[in-house]
Structure formats: structure tokens, C-alpha cells
């Protein structure tokens, strides 16, 4: 499809090379969807989004958030909330730090200032977690308005935060997000699924000036655009995962890295190999980034989060019983048991790729 589009655009036969992909894919995406993510910002005013994202946890798990100005913070932009469980007990503290400043690095993350644990004296320590982003700061005339990808980031980090806050284990080293790497992104990516659910968005996504709810047509477009190029992106991730695992599995030196990688990636190769090119020499994720034999976990986390969300789709995306099961089987347990055991306990079966393929629009 992309080759045909490129040929039509250029008025001559184009054989796509790897370096052409992004250029033509973006052109085709814009031509097809006329999608301007910036135009959606008025529907995602930060205050409304906080209500929506925190409200998701209230709706699913019955927990509430109470801002407490008495809690000391490390910067005036930071806010602190007490998190209260549905039975009124204290779960922990969540700090939010949303805006860029000179001393802050870019990106978004969740960390724990203090992990949940039970001390040798029997005291139950509740966690203090923080979610940090780099959203556009409000001005005197305009509030902070988020793009959909920023709302997604918020949902993602908030999922990590819930993993930390719900922790009910004994040892801090096994508490909350201290789980195996190929399991840690399940709670966070699971939350992202809500971004494309109209029922969720209707609760808070209103135009900040007119109060108009986000139009269904715009939500459909968010979904369509999220699926654009999904199959390509999938094969690309699998290619990296296969090459990582191939390097990890060698038992003797490799004489010809180029041929070695070609063979490893052959099942998912889309373009003809470029002679002289090798991925491993620049694959810092696995040689310098801690992802050795773990690159697959990016794709695997998608399998898990789509499969987990499929259960919510079956029972209702706000179904309390399903949420309770997700909380007790997965979010509370940290790294105290094998992830596959925890997952099966929640899902009743092994994860399958069916839900992910459907969500990406690859299958019906
Ligand atoms: Zn994450």
C-alpha cells in the first residue's frame, strides 16, 4: 500500500527502502486522516484530565484522592495527595510534578520515595510515590492543555503509581513495581487502553472554553491513527527482539555479524538487506542499556496489556469485580510470585496475542 502511494506521489515506480518508510508513512497518514493532534488539546485541560485519570481509579477500585497542602513538597509546582482506600484506610501518598523547569530532565516517569513494606517490628509502612511529566505550563490566559499522547503518558505513569500504592507485601525489595522487567509495564500500559474508550473520555474530556464533550468522530480518529502503521511497527519490534535473543544465545564467537543478524531477523524482514549494515553495533539498548535478552519485553507487555484489557471488555470496562481481581491478583502482589502465575490467576488462562492483533487493527 505504501509502495503504491509512493509511486503515485512521485509519478514513477518507487521501490521502498528502509529510509523511505517514515517519510511516505507520514505523508500517507496526513493525507488519509488530516489528523492534527494539536487540535485536540482544548478537550484535555489538565485539571479535567486529573479528575478523569484519578477518577478512573475511583471508578475501578473505589479509592479516592485528597489533596493535602500540609505535606511538604520539593518544588512549588508539586502537589501531594493522600490516597484513601474504599474502606477509609490510608493507602499512601501520590505526588504529581507536571511541568518542565530548568533543573528537570525531559520525559515522564514514576518513582517511589518510599516503598511499601512490613518492618521486622510489624509496622506496616505505606508507600510514597511520584509521577513526573513535562506538560506545557499554564499561562495567565491559557490553562495547561494536553495532547492525546500526553494524556496517554499520564495514564501510563498513573498505572505504575497504582502498582506502587496498592502493594501489599512484606519486603520492600519485592513490593509494588519491583517485579521482573517483562511484567513491569503491564499495569501502566493496561491503563493506556482507556484513552480510546469513549465512555471514559465522556467523563472529563470537555472543551475548556465551550464545555462541549469531545466529539465521537474525533475519538474514532484517535483510534484510527493509533492503528496506522501498527503492523510495520510490530514487525520492527519483533526484529529487534529476535536479534537481541540471537546475540544472547550464541555459544561461540560470530565471524560474520551481518549474516548472523540477517538470519535472526529473517522471519520478520520487510526490506531487502542493505549490504554492510549491522544493527548490533548501534543497539545500545541491549549492549549498554540493560535490555540484554529483554528487548522482547516491549512487545510482550503489549500482549499482556491487550489481553488483560480484553477481559474488561468482556465484562465491562468499569466492572468492579474484574478490577478487584486485577488488583488482588496482580497490582497488590509485587514480585512475590512468578508473573505467569499471577497473570493466570487473574485471567483464568494464558495470555494470547488475539486481543493485541485486534486492537492494532491487524485482525478483525
Ligand atoms: Zn512505564
Amino acid at each position: 500500500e505504501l509502495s503504491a502511494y509512493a509511486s503515485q506521489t512521485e509519478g514513477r515506480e518507487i521501490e521502498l527502502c528502509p529510509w523511505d518508510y517514515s517519510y511516505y508513512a507520514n505523508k500517507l497518514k496526513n493525507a488519509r486522516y488530516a489528523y492534527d493532534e494539536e487540535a485536540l488539546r482544548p478537550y484535555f485541560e489538565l485539571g479535567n484530565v486529573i479528575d478523569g485519570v484519578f477518577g478512573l481509579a475511583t471508578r475501578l477500585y473505589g479509592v479516592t484522592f485528597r489533596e493535602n497542602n500540609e505535606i511538604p513538597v520539593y518544588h512549588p509546582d508539586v502537589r501531594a495527595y493522600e490516597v484513601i482506600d474504599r474502606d477509609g484506610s490510608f493507602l499512601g501518598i501520590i505526588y504529581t510534578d507536571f511541568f518542565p523547569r530548568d533543573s528537570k530532565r525531559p520525559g515522564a516517569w514514576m518513582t517511589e520515595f518510599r516503598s511499601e513494606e512490613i518492618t521486622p517490628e510489624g509496622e506496616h509502612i505505606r508507600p510514597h510515590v511520584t509521577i513526573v511529566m513535562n506538560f506545557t505550563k499554564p499561562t495567565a490566559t491559557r490553562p495547561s492543555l494536553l495532547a492525546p499522547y500526553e494524556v496517554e503518558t499520564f495514564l501510563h505513569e498513573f498505572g505504575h503509581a497504582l502498582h506502587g500504592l496498592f502493594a501489599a507485601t512484606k519486603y520492600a525489595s519485592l513490593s509494588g513495581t519491583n517485579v521482573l522487567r517483562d511484567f513491569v509495564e503491564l499495569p501502566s500500559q493496561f491503563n493506556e487502553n482507556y484513552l480510546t474508550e469513549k465512555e471514559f473520555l465522556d467523563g472529563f474530556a470537555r472543551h475548556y472554553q465551550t464545555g462541549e464533550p469531545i466529539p465521537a468522530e474525533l475519538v474514532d480518529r484517535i483510534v484510527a491513527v493509533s492503528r496506522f502503521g501498527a503492523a510495520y511497527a510490530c514487525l520492527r519490534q519483533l526484529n529487534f527482539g529476535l536479534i537481541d535473543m540471537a546475540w544472547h544465545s550464541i555459544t561461540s564467537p560470530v565471524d560474520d555479524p551481518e549474516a548472523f543478524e540477517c538470519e535472526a531477523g529473517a522471519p520478520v524482514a520487510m526490506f531487502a538487506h542493505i549490504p554492510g549494515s549491522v544493527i548490533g553495533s548501534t543497539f545500545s539498548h541491549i549492549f549498554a542499556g540493560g535490555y540484554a535478552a529483554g528487548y522482547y519485553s516491549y512487545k510482550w507487555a503489549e500482549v499482556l496489556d491487550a489481553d488483560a484489557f480484553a477481559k474488561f471488555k468482556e465484562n465491562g470496562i468499569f466492572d468492579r469485580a474484574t478490577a478487584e481481581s486485577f488488583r488482588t491478583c496482580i497490582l497488590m502482589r509485587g514480585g512475590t510470585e512468578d508473573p505467569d502465575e499471577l497473570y493466570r490467576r487473574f485471567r483464568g488462562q494464558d495470555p494470547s496475542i488475539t486481543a493485541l492483533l485486534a486492537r492494532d487493527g491487524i485482525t478483525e
Side-chain angles (χ1 to χ4, degrees):
E1 189 178 17
L2 206 56
S3 292
Y5 173 77
S7 300
Q8 186 202 335
T9 310
E10 303 299 338
R12 63 190 164 85
E13 200 59 33
I14 299 277
E15 197 191 329
L16 280 185
C17 291
W19 50 83
D20 296 321
Y21 179 83
S22 296
Y23 176 72
Y24 288 111
N26 272 306
K27 271 176 91 81
L28 178 59
K29 183 167 81 176
N30 292 339
R32 187 176 288 171
Y33 299 109
Y35 182 73
D36 179 10
E37 197 160 54
E38 297 299 309
L40 286 150
R41 285 185 187 268
Y43 294 99
F44 295 113
E45 188 273 317
L46 180 58
N48 289 341
V49 177
I50 293 171
D51 289 345
V53 174
F54 283 11
L56 178 62
T58 305
R59 210 162 162 185
L60 289 176
Y61 311 107
V63 299
T64 48
F65 300 81
R66 196 161 60 206
E67 188 171 4
N68 183 344
N69 299 322
E70 309 278 295
I71 298 172
V73 293
Y74 55 88
H75 186 274
D77 281 353
V78 177
R79 295 204 228 162
Y81 300 81
E82 291 173 76
V83 187
I84 311 297
D85 210 348
R86 61 176 167 243
D87 64 1
S89 63
F90 174 72
L91 266 180
I93 295 173
I94 183 169
Y95 298 81
T96 62
D97 179 354
F98 287 131
F99 306 118
R101 56 182 174 269
D102 283 346
S103 60
K104 185 168 161 182
R105 72 176 164 88
W109 61 92
M110 168 269 184
T111 38
E112 291 183 338
F113 295 137
R114 186 170 87 170
S115 299
E116 181 267 354
E117 67 174 320
I118 297 173
T119 65
E121 294 73 37
E123 190 191 354
H124 200 166
I125 305 290
R126 292 310 310 173
H128 295 182
V129 308
T130 179
I131 50 175
V132 185
M133 330 267 161
N134 277 282
F135 297 151
T136 309
K137 214 173 169 163
T139 65
T141 53
R142 209 171 125 111
S144 178
L145 302 174
L146 310 190
Y149 76 88
E150 292 175 314
V151 181
E152 185 176 83
T153 303
F154 189 172
L155 282 164
H156 180 104
E157 302 308 336
F158 186 68
H160 285 309
L162 289 179
H163 202 187
L165 287 164
F166 284 149
T169 55
K170 184 172 180 183
Y171 300 107
S173 59
L174 293 173
S175 160
T177 56
N178 291 301
V179 299
L180 297 181
R181 165 161 276 151
D182 65 0
F183 199 55
V184 74
E185 298 299 335
L186 168 60
S188 52
Q189 292 186 186
F190 166 80
N191 262 14
E192 293 176 23
N193 284 284
Y194 284 90
L195 179 63
T196 48
E197 293 295 330
K198 181 93 171 67
E199 202 185 340
F200 170 64
L201 295 175
D202 279 346
F204 68 95
R206 288 178 300 279
H207 196 285
Y208 80 104
Q209 286 165 319
T210 65
E212 171 212 14
I214 189 166
E217 185 268 333
L218 280 182
V219 179
D220 291 345
R221 229 185 288 182
I222 297 176
V223 176
V225 168
S226 75
R227 289 173 168 178
F228 184 87
Y232 173 84
C234 172
L235 293 187
R236 188 168 179 274
Q237 286 297 78
L238 293 179
N239 186 42
F240 290 142
L242 288 169
I243 286 173
D244 167 32
M245 210 51 90
W247 280 119
H248 184 73
S249 308
I250 57 172
T251 52
S252 58
V254 169
D255 293 326
D256 184 349
E258 204 177 329
F260 176 79
E261 286 191 355
C262 273
E263 196 190 324
V268 293
M270 276 173 295
F271 294 106
H273 176 68
I274 310 297
S277 69
V278 178
I279 290 171
S281 54
T282 57
F283 204 167
S284 55
H285 255 83
I286 65 166
F287 288 110
Y291 272 83
Y295 196 88
Y296 76 92
S297 58
Y298 285 107
K299 202 70 208 165
W300 179 238
E302 288 182 48
V303 172
L304 290 180
D305 87 71
D307 188 73
F309 195 64
K311 183 166 180 184
F312 281 79
K313 288 270 221 189
E314 288 157 21
N315 300 341
I317 61 168
F318 297 110
D319 183 62
R320 287 295 273 268
T322 311
E324 182 62 23
S325 162
F326 192 60
R327 177 177 173 174
T328 51
C329 296
I330 291 172
L331 298 177
M332 282 168 60
R333 299 264 74 89
T336 55
E337 285 180 80
D338 276 342
D340 61 335
E341 297 285 341
L342 298 179
Y343 192 82
R344 267 192 295 270
R345 204 171 296 152
F346 161 69
R347 193 65 171 100
Q349 61 196 47
D350 281 329
S352 91
I353 63 172
T354 311
L356 177 60
L357 293 178
R359 186 178 73 190
D360 281 349
I362 293 170
T363 57
E364 285 302 312

